[in-house]
């Protein structure tokens, strides 16, 4: 159903938005919002909650947030392509590791991709990591609040109608039955563990 049904896709987008809203209202997560577009569903993170300044190392405190968001995505989408996009403000970075905001934004997107794959057994071929530096601002960079809004990471769950543009190969169909079952078992176990540890997330499962 996930792979072929637009109704499943639309219903799942709506459910994810409801789940994120409920977890935000309960105080379980913060700094996360969802936006539905023609391309798909965007889950937007304020990157101040995810990374230290000038770093692409995920903060330990951010991992529980990524787990909760990852669980609501993995519960409904295991075959959809996802584009992880890193964005910065326009302030020059001073770092021996990252020569510019291009490298930093790309590294942050890649860090989220690696975490999602390792935590939920998503197929690596479903992901694209993109760094936009400061070229896609949401607000003007002439104030601290504007720059804070522009520093973000976005997970775009692409609609299936764009699959051929993003990844024309169907790696899932090439997998053995055993590998498919193992992937599904890991996904179910990861989601169940997170929901068990999270009262609000557990309530959302019903």
């Amino acid at each position: 159903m996930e792979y072929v049904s637009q109704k499943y896709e639309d219903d799942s987008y709506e459910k994810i938005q409801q789940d994120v809203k409920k977890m935000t209202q309960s105080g379980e997560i913060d700094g996360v919002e969802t936006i539905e577009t023609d391309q798909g569903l965007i889950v937007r993170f304020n990157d101040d909650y995810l990374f230290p300044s000038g770093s692409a190392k995920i903060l330990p405190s951010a991992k529980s947030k990524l787990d909760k968001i990852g669980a609501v995505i993995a519960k409904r989408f295991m075959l959809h392509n996802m584009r992880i996009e890193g964005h910065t403000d326009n302030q020059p970075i001073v770092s021996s590791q990252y020569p510019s905001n291009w490298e930093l934004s790309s590294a942050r997107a890649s860090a989220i991709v690696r975490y999602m794959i390792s935590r939920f057994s998503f197929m690596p071929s479903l992901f694209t990591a993109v760094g936009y530096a400061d070229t896609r601002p949401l607000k003007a960079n002439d104030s601290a609040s504007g720059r804070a809004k522009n520093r973000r990471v976005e997970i775009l769950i692409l609609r299936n109608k764009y699959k051929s543009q993003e990844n024309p190969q169907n790696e899932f169909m090439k997998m053995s039955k055993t590998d498919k079952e193992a992937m599904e078992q890991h996904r179910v176990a990861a989601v169940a563990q997170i929901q068990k540890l999270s009262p609000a997330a557990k309530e959302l499962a019903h």
Side-chain angles (χ1 to χ4, degrees):
M1 288 293 289
E2 172 191 340
Y3 193 70
V4 298
S5 171
Q6 183 174 342
K7 184 178 187 306
Y8 178 91
E9 191 173 72
D10 290 339
D11 290 346
S12 295
Y13 284 162
E14 182 178 355
K15 183 61 176 173
I16 289 172
Q17 291 180 87
Q18 292 172 354
D19 288 354
V20 171
K21 182 177 180 180
K22 289 177 182 178
M23 287 191 288
T24 300
Q25 290 176 339
S26 72
E28 193 168 342
I29 62 173
D30 56 5
V32 182
E33 60 181 327
T34 57
I35 305 96
E36 190 169 349
T37 71
D38 177 67
Q39 282 193 304
L41 181 66
I42 296 171
V43 182
R44 178 178 293 155
F45 295 82
N46 181 321
D47 77 2
D48 289 345
Y49 293 95
L50 297 180
F51 304 101
S53 178
S55 171
K57 184 177 181 180
I58 299 173
L59 289 164
S61 59
K63 292 181 179 179
S64 63
K65 180 187 301 186
L66 287 170
D67 282 350
K68 290 163 189 172
I69 297 300
V72 300
I73 294 174
K75 186 176 178 181
R76 296 171 181 87
F77 292 120
M78 285 298 286
L79 302 178
H80 272 55
N81 286 81
M82 284 178 268
R83 187 188 306 154
I84 314 301
E85 303 177 351
H87 301 264
T88 68
D89 60 27
N90 67 343
Q91 300 300 295
I93 185 173
V94 181
S95 168
S96 58
Q97 186 173 7
Y98 304 111
S100 75
N101 282 321
W102 288 106
E103 287 83 3
L104 177 62
S105 60
S106 299
R108 287 177 167 177
S110 297
I112 300 301
V113 168
R114 291 196 306 273
Y115 189 85
M116 295 289 281
I117 291 171
S118 64
R119 192 71 172 95
F120 297 100
S121 286
F122 284 106
M123 289 183 294
S125 60
L126 294 176
F127 287 90
T128 303
V130 182
Y132 285 117
D134 64 332
T135 64
R136 305 287 194 280
L138 295 176
K139 301 288 185 179
N141 278 298
D142 55 4
S143 68
S145 60
R147 290 190 293 273
K149 188 72 173 178
N150 293 332
R151 296 190 299 268
R152 66 197 191 278
V153 173
E154 297 178 348
I155 299 175
L156 171 58
I157 308 168
L158 283 158
R159 294 187 182 277
N160 262 327
K161 65 181 181 180
Y162 295 109
K163 182 176 179 66
S164 62
Q165 300 175 23
E166 197 76 11
N167 179 12
Q169 299 182 355
N170 189 341
E171 298 297 333
F172 181 77
M173 297 304 295
K174 300 177 184 178
M175 293 173 65
S176 68
K177 181 179 179 181
T178 300
D179 288 342
K180 289 177 183 177
E181 290 175 347
M183 183 180 74
E184 175 66 7
Q185 289 171 2
H186 188 282
R187 177 187 72 89
V188 170
V191 172
Q193 180 191 41
I194 292 164
Q195 291 178 339
K196 182 178 180 180
L197 295 173
S198 165
K202 186 175 181 180
E203 181 182 348
L204 296 174
H206 300 292

